Amino acid sequence: MFRFDRAMALALALAAPAATRAGDGAAARSTPGPVYVAPATTVPAPVDRAFAGEIALDVDASDVARRLFTVRQRIPVQRGAAMTLLYPRWEPASHGPSLTVTDLAGLEVSAAGRRVAWRRDPYEPHAFHLDLPRGATAVDVRFQMVAGETLLGPDMVSVPWQRLVLYPAGYYARDLRVAARLRLPAGLRAFTALTPAPTAGADDAAPLAFAPTTLETLLDSPVLAGRHTARLPLAGGAEAVTLDLVAARAGDLAVPPARLAELRALVTQLRAVFGTAPFARYEILAQLSDDGSSGGTEHRASSENVLASTHFADWPGQILFRDLIAHEIVHAWNGFHRVPADLWAPTPNVPVAGTLLWVYEGQTEFWGRVLATRAGQFTPAELRDRLALEAAEIAARPGRAWRALSDDVHYPAFMLRQPVAWRDWQRRRDYYSEGVLLWLAVDAELRARSGGRRGIDDVARRFFAGAGPATPARPYDLAELCRTLDAVAPGDWAGFLRRWVDGHEEVDTLAGLERHGWRLGFADTPGAAFRANEEEQGVTDLTYSIGLTARADGRVRAVAWDGAAFRAGLRPGVRLVAVHAAPFTGAALLAAVRGSATRAVALTVEQDGRRRDVVLGYAGPLRYPRLERIADRPDGLAALLAPR
């Protein structure tokens, strides 16, 4: 006779699959099949320990015809018969996995003249495992890096060390010593923050040799070289700052005295805010580009700045980029001397997080605007024009309804350099522009809590104090930032900041501007910054009226989420064929919007291979952002922007 007792029932229950025990019915039961086995870690984790010997690195950048860098390395072997070499994956300036091993080709490894087999790690493609012969003391590595036109040309060369090196896994980058040499095309002059190696009898045909340094410093010290160059001192002595120009033509190197005076004033303003510098000397590496593009990359003792060839000659036309140099230098303090704890990494192959990018980039963008204005690179009116552009963009950001700023900061982890069709709904890198408005609000709050006696300058002096050329990076978290704010003006700073960065529609992004005595308004004519932004994007921008931007050929570049064009069913990429039955032109579209109060805007659009007529539900003027004074409030912006 079968006896079913309590002990047997318990044993059967424990033996059953968890899904069956849960009692959720047939749908929850497990089925037979493969079982996933997580891969074992085969790449040694970085450890802060001594590395015996010095890595020799030779880079040949002279093959401009084929645009190939050739790299040779000799890497000492430590104890043991195994070694894993890593190709960098993460760059500090991009805050994400921006480097790709795709451009590495022709990898050969040998030891004592004998070829060494290598195997790419199946789960980490930037890692190469070597099986070394017994007794090997060093490995010789050779590979090519396929370069683009922007890196390797006959008259201009940019050397990104982070794409030109393999290094042994298992160590911090600061523990690896590297002696680097660089061969450039004949006749090019090089600029870098690296220290030249002491050599007797310099030979123009010989490669450039640099004093041995850590891999950490090498990766942070690019080289810019060119045939047409100029070196312009901005500040001498300790903490010297120099502007190094490389241009396609000698004539582009002329910098008007007024521009140099402003840059020298910028250095003065930087020291007034941040105090001692985290560098012994600083090189502003500036490439003057014919394609009109502008952008920058920060480093601790240098910065890479791509500027239009007309940057200094056409100053009015550079209103969007005059503060680029200021932004990148501020990063020496905000990003390198002080760095968010989750953005610091011991090697360029360790993932980082960007939870405080609204400080790293947002506050740097704020200081770039402010310090450039204090130095005279903007007039206060021009700066207000820039702020109006940003304020309108951020205030009208519908994507905040579902995606807070605290999520937008994760852009580098999954959206890095990826285009988005609906920018204002999807959000993408808003921590720059919104950061400017956030830190304006912080300054206003500091002044209110201290009775006008203290502001954001007082926070900067405390927070960035203690910098020096040999001072290691000092990581920080939100708690330390709040303690500093509290020391300047006591209050619930954690709550203040969290309400903003975690908030949705309730966040008033214009509060800081208004507390400084200015409000966002709209006019029927665009300001200089708005016009420059239209030219930069190559569009007619009607975002704040009918809700779209259009190129000269009628192609719609952007559609404002839930604007008039959106409600009419338009999307980015459609083509405007006609306006009021007449062939499309930008001027015709502007005229139609201008008269929309009495005649609805009628468009013919080409979409999905068909043409159709649409009428936009907008009846109003042309609308372009501008800042307007609030009469009963003091002008706090004037006080903030006054030179120190």
Side-chain angles (χ1 to χ4, degrees):
M1 179 178 181
F2 182 76
R3 183 180 179 184
F4 187 86
D5 59 15
R6 186 174 298 176
M8 185 176 290
L10 179 60
L12 289 171
L14 292 175
T20 304
R21 296 200 307 268
D24 291 336
R29 294 193 184 104
S30 63
T31 58
V35 175
Y36 176 72
V37 178
T41 301
T42 56
V43 178
V47 177
D48 189 9
R49 55 177 174 160
F51 180 84
E54 188 174 271
I55 298 171
L57 171 64
D58 285 87
V59 173
D60 189 337
S62 62
D63 192 353
V64 297
R66 289 172 293 215
R67 295 198 174 116
L68 293 173
F69 286 95
T70 297
V71 179
R72 296 179 185 272
Q73 293 181 252
R74 170 158 286 191
I75 304 173
V77 172
Q78 308 301 290
R79 288 194 300 174
M83 176 185 282
T84 297
L85 298 179
L86 296 175
Y87 186 79
R89 183 74 181 95
W90 296 67
E91 289 177 293
S94 67
H95 321 303
S98 56
L99 298 173
T100 173
V101 74
T102 303
D103 293 333
L104 182 150
L107 178 60
E108 297 177 3
V109 182
S110 63
R114 295 166 52 191
R115 188 161 186 165
V116 172
W118 57 264
R119 293 172 291 105
R120 191 187 302 268
D121 188 273
Y123 293 96
E124 176 43 75
H126 283 237
F128 301 88
H129 301 298
L130 312 180
D131 290 322
L132 300 178
R134 186 178 300 275
T137 58
V139 294
D140 293 300
V141 178
R142 184 180 187 275
F143 64 90
Q144 297 83 40
M145 197 277 279
V146 181
E149 183 179 1
T150 58
L151 293 180
L152 206 54
D155 298 321
M156 202 176 297
V157 170
S158 181
V159 180
W161 298 109
Q162 69 274 18
R163 297 176 62 183
L164 299 166
V165 66
L166 290 168
Y167 68 95
Y171 299 86
Y172 279 21
R174 68 183 181 221
D175 297 326
L176 301 171
R177 298 284 295 176
V178 183
R181 298 197 307 167
L182 172 65
R183 183 178 296 278
L184 293 168
L188 267 59
R189 181 187 185 188
F191 303 102
T192 181
L194 291 172
T195 302
T199 55
D203 181 358
D204 290 341
L208 297 173
F210 303 102
T213 189
T214 65
L215 178 65
E216 180 180 59
T217 298
L218 180 74
L219 297 178
D220 191 42
S221 307
V223 177
L224 178 64
R227 199 168 305 280
H228 306 294
T229 67
R231 182 171 174 80
L232 304 172
L234 301 178
E239 305 174 12
V241 179
T242 304
L243 174 64
D244 304 320
L245 298 177
V246 174
R249 294 168 299 276
D252 293 336
L253 298 170
V255 180
R259 305 288 81 82
L260 285 176
E262 290 158 0
L263 286 170
R264 290 176 178 130
L266 173 63
V267 175
T268 300
Q269 295 302 316
L270 282 160
R271 290 172 174 170
V273 171
F274 300 117
T276 58
F279 48 77
R281 61 184 176 90
Y282 190 94
E283 304 288 335
I284 303 171
L285 309 176
Q287 177 181 336
L288 301 179
S289 169
D290 274 341
D291 65 9
S293 62
S294 295
T297 303
E298 66 268 19
H299 303 281
R300 179 158 178 158
S302 64
S303 59
E304 299 170 272
N305 302 269
V306 178
L307 306 171
S309 58
T310 57
H311 180 80
F312 296 107
D314 176 25
W315 200 235
Q318 299 303 313
I319 191 169
L320 299 180
F321 306 108
R322 295 182 200 168
D323 56 337
L324 176 62
I325 289 174
H327 177 104
E328 302 305 345
I329 301 181
V330 169
H331 271 313
W333 286 269
N334 187 20
F336 285 86
H337 167 51
R338 301 304 315 271
V339 58
D342 61 2
L343 269 176
W344 182 85
T347 78
N349 290 80
V350 175
V352 297
T355 57
L356 292 177
L357 278 175
W358 51 272
V359 186
Y360 182 112
E361 293 292 3
Q363 192 184 122
T364 299
E365 192 82 341
F366 165 86
W367 279 120
R369 303 274 194 278
V370 170
L371 295 176
T373 307
R374 290 180 183 178
Q377 293 180 298
F378 294 114
T379 65
E382 288 173 328
L383 192 277
R384 292 194 299 269
D385 204 22
R386 285 289 305 276
L387 291 177
L389 188 66
E390 291 169 325
E393 177 184 278
I394 295 301
R397 190 65 88 213
R400 187 186 311 282
W402 72 276
R403 191 173 181 211
L405 185 64
S406 57
D407 188 67
D408 178 61
V409 295
H410 296 303
Y411 151 83
F414 67 98
M415 297 176 73
L416 193 62
R417 296 171 186 162
Q418 297 297 316
V420 294
W422 301 94
R423 167 71 190 275
D424 58 349
W425 182 242
Q426 293 173 270
R427 305 198 76 178
R428 183 176 181 271
R429 294 206 312 168
D430 283 350
Y431 47 82
Y432 281 89
S433 295
E434 187 168 337
V436 174
L437 302 177
L438 167 56
W439 290 100
L440 271 174
V442 169
D443 180 65
E445 185 73 7
L446 287 163
R447 293 175 189 277
R449 293 182 181 187
S450 66
R453 296 186 303 276
R454 294 179 178 175
I456 192 71
D457 287 68
D458 300 282
V459 174
R461 290 188 193 99
R462 286 174 176 263
F463 195 71
F464 298 106
T471 305
R474 291 173 52 208
Y476 66 87
D477 57 14
L478 179 60
E480 183 188 347
L481 178 63
C482 290
R483 286 194 299 271
T484 306
L485 288 162
D486 191 70
V488 173
D492 178 19
W493 285 104
F496 179 93
L497 295 172
R498 288 257 66 101
R499 282 191 294 274
W500 184 302
V501 300
D502 291 336
H504 294 280
E505 296 100 326
E506 75 278 8
V507 178
D508 182 3
T509 57
L510 302 178
L513 271 174
E514 292 175 359
R515 294 176 74 181
H516 279 91
W518 295 85
R519 68 165 61 92
L520 176 65
F522 290 89
D524 58 5
T525 56
F530 195 94
R531 286 192 182 279
N533 194 52
E534 282 186 307
E535 185 175 344
E536 174 74 11
Q537 297 185 43
V539 298
T540 297
D541 189 347
L542 296 165
T543 297
Y544 304 106
S545 53
I546 60 174
L548 62 76
T549 69
R551 300 185 186 277
D553 63 357
R555 191 71 61 184
V556 172
R557 178 171 179 177
V559 173
W561 190 266
D562 204 29
F566 179 94
R567 293 192 294 272
L570 302 189
R571 69 168 187 267
V574 305
R575 191 167 71 88
L576 307 182
V577 177
V579 181
H580 292 318
F584 169 84
T585 64
L589 184 61
L590 286 168
V593 176
R594 192 178 292 113
S596 62
T598 56
R599 183 186 183 189
V601 178
L603 304 173
T604 302
V605 303
E606 191 171 80
Q607 187 170 356
D608 298 326
R610 300 177 181 177
R611 291 192 176 187
R612 66 185 181 97
D613 296 326
V614 298
V615 176
L616 302 185
Y618 178 79
L622 291 167
R623 299 178 79 241
Y624 300 103
R626 68 177 181 184
L627 293 190
E628 301 170 343
R629 279 286 288 122
I630 301 174
D632 58 349
R633 292 187 182 175
D635 186 353
L637 277 183
L640 175 65
L641 301 175
R644 300 304 192 253

